[in-house]
């Protein structure tokens, strides 16, 4: 099973992905976490990614696509499936993912799309900035990430809707438990028997 957790910065992708991972026994692949780990070990990729992330820009597809290809390959046949968190973030990445999966006769089975007003998202990210000091949680980087999301990432949802993939739209306002209750109810009919 291949699921995507999709949403703007601060919508709770990482938070909800951890819960879906436990509930459905899917491997959790977060591109944000992979890039932060690369940055921490100061690899060539990590240093380039860190510079872009700090400004709120997306990391180029040429860097992300091979990482996802390798990670999906590693997990093939070893887990019930994979939940991708933060990938694809552009229509080009979505097409690359679809092509990788199609080679094995697979496709994206469901998309969980978290939705919340920008004001709420900015408030959450500024709160995280105060607590965790993530380099991309500055006000300027947050504004840029929101812009990138609306211009380049939001069209990914239309890509999957157009391909007939079930998309569960979830109101991401409320506590993590409240949001997860909605995710859980929406996923039930999409994953039963898989
Ligand atoms: P991510 O790590 O995916 O960053 P994010 O969008 O902020 O999501 P995250 O999972 O961290 O936060 P969440 O919404 O769960 O990516 C970081 C950067 O990496 C990107 O900006 C980009 O530069 C690069 N990147 C990653 N993937 C890429 C790709 N495919 N292509 C190109 N570039 C890529 O949570 C946010 C905060 O809200 C947290 O503090 C959380 O505790 C809080 N929160 C969550 N749910 C809440 C709730 N219900 N109520 C209150 N607070 C809540």
């Amino acid at each position: 099973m291949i699921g995507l957790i999709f949403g703007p910065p601060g919508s709770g992708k990482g938070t909800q992905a951890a819960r879906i991972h436990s509930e459905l026994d899917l491997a959790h692949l977060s591109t944000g976490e992979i890039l932060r780990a690369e940055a921490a070990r100061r690899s060539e990729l990590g240093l380039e990614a860190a510079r872009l992330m700090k400004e709120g820009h997306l990391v180029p597809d040429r860097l992300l696509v091979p990482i996802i290809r390798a990670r999906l390959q590693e997990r093939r046949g070893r887990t019930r499936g994979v939940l991708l968190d933060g990938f694809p973030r552009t229509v080009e990445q979505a097409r690359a993912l679809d092509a990788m999966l199609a080679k094995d006769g697979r496709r994206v089975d469901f998309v969980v799309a978290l939705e919340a007003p920008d004001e709420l998202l900015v408030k959450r990210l500024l709160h995280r900035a105060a607590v965790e000091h993530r380099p991309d949680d500055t006000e300027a980087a947050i504004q840029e990430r929101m812009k990138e999301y609306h211009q380049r990432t939001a069209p990914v949802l239309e890509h999957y809707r157009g391909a007939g993939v079930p998309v569960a739209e979830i109101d991401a306002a409320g506590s993590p438990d409240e949001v997860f209750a909605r995710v859980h109810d929406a996923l039930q009919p999409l994953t039963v028997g898989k």
Side-chain angles (χ1 to χ4, degrees), residues 64-84:
L64 260 308
V65 170
I67 293 180
I68 291 296
R69 183 176 292 119
R71 302 284 172 123
L72 285 178
Q73 199 64 39
E74 267 168 38
R75 280 165 178 76
R76 208 168 162 251
R78 290 175 47 206
T79 59
R80 185 176 173 223
V82 177
L83 180 68
L84 287 168

PDB file of all heavy atoms in Angstrom, residues 64-84:
ATOM      1  N   LEU A  64      15.860  15.093  -4.828  1.00  0.00           N
ATOM      2  CA  LEU A  64      14.871  14.334  -4.059  1.00  0.00           C
ATOM      3  C   LEU A  64      14.468  13.025  -4.721  1.00  0.00           C
ATOM      4  O   LEU A  64      14.321  12.003  -4.044  1.00  0.00           O
ATOM      5  CB  LEU A  64      13.612  15.185  -3.879  1.00  0.00           C
ATOM      6  CG  LEU A  64      13.404  15.910  -2.561  1.00  0.00           C
ATOM      7  CD1 LEU A  64      13.551  14.958  -1.395  1.00  0.00           C
ATOM      8  CD2 LEU A  64      14.332  17.073  -2.389  1.00  0.00           C
ATOM      9  N   VAL A  65      14.279  13.054  -6.038  1.00  0.00           N
ATOM     10  CA  VAL A  65      13.717  11.876  -6.717  1.00  0.00           C
ATOM     11  C   VAL A  65      14.604  10.633  -6.532  1.00  0.00           C
ATOM     12  O   VAL A  65      14.098   9.567  -6.162  1.00  0.00           O
ATOM     13  CB  VAL A  65      13.413  12.205  -8.206  1.00  0.00           C
ATOM     14  CG1 VAL A  65      13.056  10.943  -8.969  1.00  0.00           C
ATOM     15  CG2 VAL A  65      12.277  13.225  -8.281  1.00  0.00           C
ATOM     16  N   PRO A  66      15.956  10.739  -6.717  1.00  0.00           N
ATOM     17  CA  PRO A  66      16.774   9.526  -6.510  1.00  0.00           C
ATOM     18  C   PRO A  66      16.728   9.013  -5.069  1.00  0.00           C
ATOM     19  O   PRO A  66      16.789   7.803  -4.837  1.00  0.00           O
ATOM     20  CB  PRO A  66      18.196   9.991  -6.866  1.00  0.00           C
ATOM     21  CG  PRO A  66      18.024  11.231  -7.671  1.00  0.00           C
ATOM     22  CD  PRO A  66      16.755  11.869  -7.203  1.00  0.00           C
ATOM     23  N   ILE A  67      16.574   9.925  -4.101  1.00  0.00           N
ATOM     24  CA  ILE A  67      16.496   9.488  -2.697  1.00  0.00           C
ATOM     25  C   ILE A  67      15.252   8.629  -2.498  1.00  0.00           C
ATOM     26  O   ILE A  67      15.294   7.557  -1.916  1.00  0.00           O
ATOM     27  CB  ILE A  67      16.432  10.706  -1.735  1.00  0.00           C
ATOM     28  CG1 ILE A  67      17.746  11.465  -1.776  1.00  0.00           C
ATOM     29  CG2 ILE A  67      16.090  10.283  -0.321  1.00  0.00           C
ATOM     30  CD1 ILE A  67      17.769  12.683  -0.864  1.00  0.00           C
ATOM     31  N   ILE A  68      14.138   9.111  -2.990  1.00  0.00           N
ATOM     32  CA  ILE A  68      12.878   8.374  -2.813  1.00  0.00           C
ATOM     33  C   ILE A  68      12.941   7.037  -3.560  1.00  0.00           C
ATOM     34  O   ILE A  68      12.517   6.007  -3.040  1.00  0.00           O
ATOM     35  CB  ILE A  68      11.680   9.237  -3.307  1.00  0.00           C
ATOM     36  CG1 ILE A  68      11.481  10.409  -2.360  1.00  0.00           C
ATOM     37  CG2 ILE A  68      10.399   8.427  -3.426  1.00  0.00           C
ATOM     38  CD1 ILE A  68      11.089  10.017  -0.934  1.00  0.00           C
ATOM     39  N   ARG A  69      13.528   7.068  -4.760  1.00  0.00           N
ATOM     40  CA  ARG A  69      13.632   5.823  -5.530  1.00  0.00           C
ATOM     41  C   ARG A  69      14.404   4.778  -4.708  1.00  0.00           C
ATOM     42  O   ARG A  69      13.965   3.642  -4.559  1.00  0.00           O
ATOM     43  CB  ARG A  69      14.343   6.093  -6.863  1.00  0.00           C
ATOM     44  CG  ARG A  69      14.426   4.847  -7.738  1.00  0.00           C
ATOM     45  CD  ARG A  69      15.029   5.131  -9.094  1.00  0.00           C
ATOM     46  NE  ARG A  69      14.178   5.955  -9.926  1.00  0.00           N
ATOM     47  CZ  ARG A  69      14.496   7.155 -10.398  1.00  0.00           C
ATOM     48  NH1 ARG A  69      15.668   7.694 -10.119  1.00  0.00           N
ATOM     49  NH2 ARG A  69      13.659   7.833 -11.143  1.00  0.00           N
ATOM     50  N   ALA A  70      15.536   5.196  -4.127  1.00  0.00           N
ATOM     51  CA  ALA A  70      16.375   4.263  -3.359  1.00  0.00           C
ATOM     52  C   ALA A  70      15.641   3.771  -2.111  1.00  0.00           C
ATOM     53  O   ALA A  70      15.654   2.581  -1.796  1.00  0.00           O
ATOM     54  CB  ALA A  70      17.683   4.948  -2.981  1.00  0.00           C
ATOM     55  N   ARG A  71      14.969   4.692  -1.406  1.00  0.00           N
ATOM     56  CA  ARG A  71      14.288   4.286  -0.152  1.00  0.00           C
ATOM     57  C   ARG A  71      13.123   3.339  -0.444  1.00  0.00           C
ATOM     58  O   ARG A  71      12.875   2.416   0.312  1.00  0.00           O
ATOM     59  CB  ARG A  71      13.769   5.506   0.613  1.00  0.00           C
ATOM     60  CG  ARG A  71      14.827   6.510   0.978  1.00  0.00           C
ATOM     61  CD  ARG A  71      15.658   6.018   2.156  1.00  0.00           C
ATOM     62  NE  ARG A  71      16.786   6.902   2.377  1.00  0.00           N
ATOM     63  CZ  ARG A  71      17.048   7.528   3.526  1.00  0.00           C
ATOM     64  NH1 ARG A  71      16.281   7.338   4.574  1.00  0.00           N
ATOM     65  NH2 ARG A  71      18.092   8.314   3.628  1.00  0.00           N
ATOM     66  N   LEU A  72      12.398   3.589  -1.543  1.00  0.00           N
ATOM     67  CA  LEU A  72      11.272   2.696  -1.868  1.00  0.00           C
ATOM     68  C   LEU A  72      11.799   1.312  -2.236  1.00  0.00           C
ATOM     69  O   LEU A  72      11.232   0.296  -1.854  1.00  0.00           O
ATOM     70  CB  LEU A  72      10.442   3.266  -3.022  1.00  0.00           C
ATOM     71  CG  LEU A  72       9.536   4.444  -2.688  1.00  0.00           C
ATOM     72  CD1 LEU A  72       8.820   4.928  -3.947  1.00  0.00           C
ATOM     73  CD2 LEU A  72       8.510   4.067  -1.626  1.00  0.00           C
ATOM     74  N   GLN A  73      12.909   1.303  -2.957  1.00  0.00           N
ATOM     75  CA  GLN A  73      13.533   0.036  -3.369  1.00  0.00           C
ATOM     76  C   GLN A  73      13.949  -0.781  -2.143  1.00  0.00           C
ATOM     77  O   GLN A  73      13.670  -1.969  -2.051  1.00  0.00           O
ATOM     78  CB  GLN A  73      14.754   0.355  -4.251  1.00  0.00           C
ATOM     79  CG  GLN A  73      15.232  -0.798  -5.121  1.00  0.00           C
ATOM     80  CD  GLN A  73      14.177  -1.205  -6.149  1.00  0.00           C
ATOM     81  OE1 GLN A  73      13.510  -0.335  -6.705  1.00  0.00           O
ATOM     82  NE2 GLN A  73      14.008  -2.504  -6.358  1.00  0.00           N
ATOM     83  N   GLU A  74      14.590  -0.076  -1.183  1.00  0.00           N
ATOM     84  CA  GLU A  74      15.056  -0.739   0.051  1.00  0.00           C
ATOM     85  C   GLU A  74      13.911  -1.430   0.793  1.00  0.00           C
ATOM     86  O   GLU A  74      14.087  -2.487   1.372  1.00  0.00           O
ATOM     87  CB  GLU A  74      15.562   0.319   1.038  1.00  0.00           C
ATOM     88  CG  GLU A  74      17.041   0.629   0.999  1.00  0.00           C
ATOM     89  CD  GLU A  74      17.284   1.902   1.816  1.00  0.00           C
ATOM     90  OE1 GLU A  74      16.636   2.117   2.885  1.00  0.00           O
ATOM     91  OE2 GLU A  74      18.106   2.687   1.348  1.00  0.00           O
ATOM     92  N   ARG A  75      12.751  -0.748   0.799  1.00  0.00           N
ATOM     93  CA  ARG A  75      11.639  -1.248   1.613  1.00  0.00           C
ATOM     94  C   ARG A  75      10.752  -2.239   0.884  1.00  0.00           C
ATOM     95  O   ARG A  75       9.866  -2.820   1.471  1.00  0.00           O
ATOM     96  CB  ARG A  75      10.780  -0.063   2.093  1.00  0.00           C
ATOM     97  CG  ARG A  75      11.411   0.614   3.272  1.00  0.00           C
ATOM     98  CD  ARG A  75      10.803   1.949   3.535  1.00  0.00           C
ATOM     99  NE  ARG A  75      11.407   2.550   4.696  1.00  0.00           N
ATOM    100  CZ  ARG A  75      12.617   3.103   4.707  1.00  0.00           C
ATOM    101  NH1 ARG A  75      13.354   3.112   3.612  1.00  0.00           N
ATOM    102  NH2 ARG A  75      13.105   3.640   5.813  1.00  0.00           N
ATOM    103  N   ARG A  76      10.985  -2.414  -0.397  1.00  0.00           N
ATOM    104  CA  ARG A  76      10.100  -3.241  -1.216  1.00  0.00           C
ATOM    105  C   ARG A  76       9.997  -4.657  -0.657  1.00  0.00           C
ATOM    106  O   ARG A  76      11.001  -5.306  -0.429  1.00  0.00           O
ATOM    107  CB  ARG A  76      10.631  -3.279  -2.640  1.00  0.00           C
ATOM    108  CG  ARG A  76       9.529  -3.474  -3.566  1.00  0.00           C
ATOM    109  CD  ARG A  76       9.808  -3.264  -4.978  1.00  0.00           C
ATOM    110  NE  ARG A  76       8.702  -3.940  -5.636  1.00  0.00           N
ATOM    111  CZ  ARG A  76       8.830  -5.062  -6.296  1.00  0.00           C
ATOM    112  NH1 ARG A  76       9.986  -5.615  -6.449  1.00  0.00           N
ATOM    113  NH2 ARG A  76       7.770  -5.627  -6.818  1.00  0.00           N
ATOM    114  N   GLY A  77       8.763  -5.097  -0.410  1.00  0.00           N
ATOM    115  CA  GLY A  77       8.544  -6.451   0.096  1.00  0.00           C
ATOM    116  C   GLY A  77       8.861  -6.613   1.567  1.00  0.00           C
ATOM    117  O   GLY A  77       8.644  -7.667   2.140  1.00  0.00           O
ATOM    118  N   ARG A  78       9.404  -5.559   2.209  1.00  0.00           N
ATOM    119  CA  ARG A  78       9.780  -5.700   3.620  1.00  0.00           C
ATOM    120  C   ARG A  78       8.769  -5.089   4.568  1.00  0.00           C
ATOM    121  O   ARG A  78       8.840  -5.279   5.766  1.00  0.00           O
ATOM    122  CB  ARG A  78      11.167  -5.068   3.850  1.00  0.00           C
ATOM    123  CG  ARG A  78      12.284  -5.872   3.194  1.00  0.00           C
ATOM    124  CD  ARG A  78      13.622  -5.197   3.305  1.00  0.00           C
ATOM    125  NE  ARG A  78      13.905  -4.723   4.650  1.00  0.00           N
ATOM    126  CZ  ARG A  78      14.716  -3.706   4.934  1.00  0.00           C
ATOM    127  NH1 ARG A  78      15.316  -3.052   3.962  1.00  0.00           N
ATOM    128  NH2 ARG A  78      14.928  -3.351   6.170  1.00  0.00           N
ATOM    129  N   THR A  79       7.844  -4.296   4.029  1.00  0.00           N
ATOM    130  CA  THR A  79       6.826  -3.691   4.889  1.00  0.00           C
ATOM    131  C   THR A  79       5.474  -3.842   4.193  1.00  0.00           C
ATOM    132  O   THR A  79       5.410  -4.134   2.997  1.00  0.00           O
ATOM    133  CB  THR A  79       7.076  -2.176   5.107  1.00  0.00           C
ATOM    134  OG1 THR A  79       7.080  -1.545   3.836  1.00  0.00           O
ATOM    135  CG2 THR A  79       8.383  -1.909   5.815  1.00  0.00           C
ATOM    136  N   ARG A  80       4.429  -3.589   4.967  1.00  0.00           N
ATOM    137  CA  ARG A  80       3.080  -3.674   4.402  1.00  0.00           C
ATOM    138  C   ARG A  80       2.881  -2.595   3.337  1.00  0.00           C
ATOM    139  O   ARG A  80       2.061  -2.713   2.435  1.00  0.00           O
ATOM    140  CB  ARG A  80       2.096  -3.476   5.553  1.00  0.00           C
ATOM    141  CG  ARG A  80       0.674  -3.665   5.156  1.00  0.00           C
ATOM    142  CD  ARG A  80      -0.220  -3.560   6.361  1.00  0.00           C
ATOM    143  NE  ARG A  80      -1.589  -3.580   5.914  1.00  0.00           N
ATOM    144  CZ  ARG A  80      -2.533  -2.788   6.367  1.00  0.00           C
ATOM    145  NH1 ARG A  80      -2.272  -1.922   7.321  1.00  0.00           N
ATOM    146  NH2 ARG A  80      -3.751  -2.855   5.882  1.00  0.00           N
ATOM    147  N   GLY A  81       3.629  -1.541   3.476  1.00  0.00           N
ATOM    148  CA  GLY A  81       3.510  -0.440   2.534  1.00  0.00           C
ATOM    149  C   GLY A  81       4.273   0.766   3.056  1.00  0.00           C
ATOM    150  O   GLY A  81       4.985   0.669   4.057  1.00  0.00           O
ATOM    151  N   VAL A  82       4.113   1.895   2.385  1.00  0.00           N
ATOM    152  CA  VAL A  82       4.883   3.083   2.725  1.00  0.00           C
ATOM    153  C   VAL A  82       3.954   4.296   2.770  1.00  0.00           C
ATOM    154  O   VAL A  82       3.068   4.440   1.924  1.00  0.00           O
ATOM    155  CB  VAL A  82       5.996   3.325   1.669  1.00  0.00           C
ATOM    156  CG1 VAL A  82       6.762   4.603   1.951  1.00  0.00           C
ATOM    157  CG2 VAL A  82       6.965   2.139   1.608  1.00  0.00           C
ATOM    158  N   LEU A  83       4.169   5.135   3.783  1.00  0.00           N
ATOM    159  CA  LEU A  83       3.473   6.419   3.857  1.00  0.00           C
ATOM    160  C   LEU A  83       4.507   7.499   3.551  1.00  0.00           C
ATOM    161  O   LEU A  83       5.489   7.653   4.278  1.00  0.00           O
ATOM    162  CB  LEU A  83       2.906   6.623   5.263  1.00  0.00           C
ATOM    163  CG  LEU A  83       2.157   7.935   5.466  1.00  0.00           C
ATOM    164  CD1 LEU A  83       0.862   7.957   4.649  1.00  0.00           C
ATOM    165  CD2 LEU A  83       1.839   8.152   6.943  1.00  0.00           C
ATOM    166  N   LEU A  84       4.299   8.204   2.459  1.00  0.00           N
ATOM    167  CA  LEU A  84       5.235   9.266   2.060  1.00  0.00           C
ATOM    168  C   LEU A  84       4.766  10.593   2.651  1.00  0.00           C
ATOM    169  O   LEU A  84       3.620  11.006   2.440  1.00  0.00           O
ATOM    170  CB  LEU A  84       5.295   9.362   0.541  1.00  0.00           C
ATOM    171  CG  LEU A  84       6.038   8.221  -0.162  1.00  0.00           C
ATOM    172  CD1 LEU A  84       5.780   8.272  -1.661  1.00  0.00           C
ATOM    173  CD2 LEU A  84       7.523   8.306   0.112  1.00  0.00           C
TER     174      LEU A  84
END
